[in-house]
Amino acid sequence: MLKKLTLATAIGSLVMSASVFASSLTVGFSQIGSESGWRAAETAVSKAEAEKRGINLKISDAQQKQENQIKAVRSFIAQGVDAIFIAPVVQTGWGPVLEEAKDYEIPVFLLDRGITVDDDSLYMTAVTADNVLEGKVAGQWLLDTVKDKPCNVVELQGTVGASVAIDRKEGFSEAISNASNVNIVRTQSGEFTRSKGKEVMESFIKAENGGKNICAVFSHNDDMAIGAIQAIKEAGLKPGDDILVVSIDAVPDIFKAMMNGEANATVELTPNMAGPAFDALISYKENGTQPPKKIVTESNLYLPKDAKEQLDMKKDLGY
Ligand code: AHR
């Protein structure tokens, strides 16, 4: 296969206008799957952002498996795409396939999750939130809410090995580390899904005196929190009151739960990771501009008082 960046294409790119240039680009996106409302929104927003710029976006659904993502990357390389976007399901194991993309001079952009590789030139940039900070914001909210009261926390972790699960756990644990009254008493993965979140919360409730020993649930995403809310209700307790609910993502369903008094706080994760990545790609292809190694998105905290406004805003944005 011919390497992608020939002199002719490089000279050609100099005389093309931005929109004409973007409309000549094809990007392959290896998406994780559809485990959560946030993920569905990210896929929809990526399509819309590509369309806005006239970029041809090919999405491959990995169904939560890294091996499918690796196959997708190889297929994108064989198709000679202009760039590859990956939302990496887990943090490790990416070196060899990214070397292959590098051999063909196809830039790789990471969306919403990070990876650990020895050579960070294997990807151009990662568009992600600071997920340690997201965990810290959630932990700080809990500290401010419970003050000096004793609080046993149960934690619903995301996908095992996912950078965001590792980082959110670290941030939350760090935030509560100096508060002797707030402790994580149980922690387990709910795989970022609503059904698994519910199942794991049921087991926590059973193990903790029918839920009476639990003061709060920290869920690594909103979907698992929604599942947990269901489990709390089925146990005869009031979510948002008997058990505080704090999570991450800021998807419409958690705002609906807040409006029902069943959830207390969420930390934003924007589903628009692709937009900044497309812009970085276009600048790189047009003028060789190297983006920063990390493009960090916002991590605002939203409370029930913000729920209606956020819900309306999301509706307007079509999420
Ligand atoms: O990587 C981002 C995480 O993946 C979101 O917080 C979660 O909902 C999704 O499944």
Side-chain angles (χ1 to χ4, degrees):
M1 191 196 305
L2 280 175
K3 293 211 169 179
K4 289 289 300 175
L5 282 185
T6 63
L7 184 61
T9 56
I11 293 168
S13 71
L14 292 175
V15 292
M16 279 194 246
S17 75
S19 58
V20 171
F21 187 86
S23 68
S24 71
L25 294 175
T26 295
V27 174
F29 176 20
S30 169
Q31 177 58 295
I32 291 172
S34 50
E35 71 281 2
S36 65
W38 185 89
R39 185 65 58 196
E42 191 200 32
T43 301
V45 173
S46 302
K47 286 181 190 163
E49 292 292 317
E51 208 175 313
K52 243 193 239 172
R53 294 165 178 82
I55 290 173
N56 175 23
L57 183 67
K58 299 176 175 213
I59 301 185
S60 171
D61 178 338
Q63 304 192 343
Q64 312 300 316
K65 291 200 175 89
Q66 184 182 35
E67 67 199 71
N68 291 343
Q69 294 204 282
I70 290 172
K71 273 188 210 147
V73 171
R74 292 205 168 115
S75 154
F76 291 141
I77 294 171
Q79 292 168 54
V81 297
D82 298 291
I84 296 173
F85 287 8
I86 310 174
V89 61
V90 290
Q91 197 168 255
T92 55
W94 294 99
V97 77
L98 296 191
E99 292 281 1
E100 292 168 36
K102 192 176 178 183
D103 285 347
Y104 284 96
E105 296 179 23
I106 300 176
V108 169
F109 293 71
L110 306 178
L111 301 193
D112 77 83
R113 294 188 188 178
I115 60 173
T116 44
V117 274
D118 293 338
D119 172 8
D120 75 359
S121 76
L122 292 177
Y123 64 90
M124 182 149 276
T125 185
V127 184
T128 64
D130 175 343
N131 282 282
V132 175
L133 174 68
E134 303 235 311
K136 276 188 193 160
V137 171
Q140 190 56 50
W141 171 83
L142 187 62
L143 293 185
D144 295 343
T145 303
V146 300
K147 302 199 168 68
D148 294 336
K149 281 191 221 133
C151 185
N152 286 342
V153 183
V154 294
E155 179 185 36
L156 291 167
Q157 293 187 41
T159 304
V160 175
S163 66
V164 286
I166 296 165
D167 291 351
R168 290 170 188 178
K169 181 171 189 43
E170 182 188 323
F172 186 87
S173 303
E174 208 180 307
I176 64 166
S177 62
N178 291 327
S180 57
N181 58 320
V182 179
N183 292 294
I184 297 175
V185 291
R186 303 210 171 247
T187 178
Q188 198 181 313
S189 172
E191 297 167 8
F192 278 134
T193 68
R194 209 171 275 215
S195 56
K196 193 76 185 168
K198 178 170 186 270
E199 189 186 311
V200 175
M201 189 67 191
E202 281 165 353
S203 71
F204 288 162
I205 289 172
K206 211 167 161 195
E208 293 294 338
N209 190 21
K212 292 186 189 72
N213 291 350
I214 303 172
C215 148
V217 53
F218 166 48
S219 173
H220 288 193
N221 81 344
D222 288 344
D223 274 66
M224 293 188 294
I226 305 284
I229 287 169
Q230 197 52 41
I232 296 168
K233 288 204 279 193
E234 285 173 18
L237 297 170
K238 275 187 76 185
D241 198 358
D242 294 325
I243 298 182
L244 300 172
V245 179
V246 53
S247 53
I248 292 172
D249 274 356
V251 296
D253 280 356
I254 205 73
F255 291 120
K256 289 180 191 154
M258 283 186 188
M259 289 168 80
N260 292 334
E262 295 176 343
N264 306 88
T266 188
V267 185
E268 172 183 30
L269 183 72
T270 176
N272 186 9
M273 302 283 171
F278 287 136
D279 291 341
L281 169 66
I282 292 166
S283 309
Y284 172 69
K285 290 281 187 181
E286 272 185 338
N287 350 297
T289 309
Q290 287 284 343
K293 213 64 213 173
K294 229 179 177 196
I295 299 174
V296 182
T297 62
E298 291 196 343
S299 301
N300 295 318
L301 175 74
Y302 295 117
L303 304 174
K305 67 176 172 53
D306 311 307
K308 182 161 174 2
E309 190 190 350
Q310 282 302 311
L311 206 49
D312 292 345
M313 211 177 79
K314 304 253 164 188
K315 235 180 253 160
D316 291 348
L317 289 169
Y319 295 176

